[in-house]
Amino acid sequence: MSQQKETDQLLQRRANMAELAKLGVSIYPHAFQRTDTIKSLVAVHGHRTREDIDQAKIQTKTAGRILVIRKFGKANFLLLSDGLSSIQVYIRQDSVSERDFSIYKLLDFGDVIGVEGRLFRTKSDELT
């Protein structure tokens, strides 16, 4: 990577970090109280059908490193990994607060984040 690109990327990440701090996000939090690891979510629910998961209404809190970011207007996806397994995270602009969507837009590859929500399968059958 060229020195200029590296500097530009570093400057952008620092700017994003400053914006996150302005939004009240703890940049280096001491803890995140997850209910499940990504590995355990995949192990316990990875084989379950869409209908089974929907009926169970499984609420979870987990954390991992962002490997992939896919933006499709109001529907957005992250791929999170705990180093052992990965799971998709779905962020819909009209389903989260304006602040939370602003936080999402400032995230980058490699960031470690905590998420919470209801487990489900997408139309393409991806555990999310």
Side-chain angles (χ1 to χ4, degrees):
M1 182 182 295
S2 75
Q3 187 69 25
Q4 184 59 41
K5 276 190 175 184
E6 187 175 317
T7 302
D8 291 346
Q9 183 180 31
L10 194 56
L11 290 172
Q12 184 59 55
R13 283 182 174 256
R14 285 184 179 149
N16 287 357
M17 192 169 61
E19 287 301 313
L20 287 167
K22 284 181 191 175
L23 290 169
V25 174
S26 178
I27 303 303
Y28 301 107
H30 297 288
F32 178 77
Q33 298 300 320
R34 66 182 181 200
T35 58
D36 304 279
T37 64
I38 294 171
K39 180 182 178 185
S40 69
L41 286 172
V42 172
V44 173
H45 305 292
H47 68 283
R48 297 175 75 178
T49 65
R50 175 184 291 122
E51 294 77 20
D52 190 25
I53 291 173
D54 285 347
Q55 187 176 22
K57 296 182 177 18
I58 302 156
Q59 292 291 323
T60 187
K61 289 173 76 173
T62 194
R65 183 175 302 278
I66 298 173
L67 301 180
V68 175
I69 300 172
R70 293 189 298 262
K71 299 178 181 186
F72 300 104
K74 290 184 181 183
N76 301 275
F77 299 91
L78 302 172
L79 185 63
L80 283 190
S81 174
D82 62 4
L84 300 170
S85 295
S86 60
I87 194 163
Q88 182 170 262
V89 176
Y90 175 65
I91 303 104
R92 183 163 173 89
Q93 185 175 358
D94 58 4
S95 295
V96 296
S97 70
E98 186 176 325
R99 175 185 177 267
D100 286 347
F101 197 72
S102 294
I103 291 169
Y104 157 74
K105 291 189 308 185
L106 292 167
L107 298 177
D108 205 345
F109 301 105
D111 288 349
V112 176
I113 62 168
V115 295
E116 68 177 287
R118 185 178 56 81
L119 199 62
F120 69 98
R121 285 195 178 275
T122 61
K123 291 177 183 175
S124 62
D125 209 32
E126 179 107 19
L127 187 61
T128 305

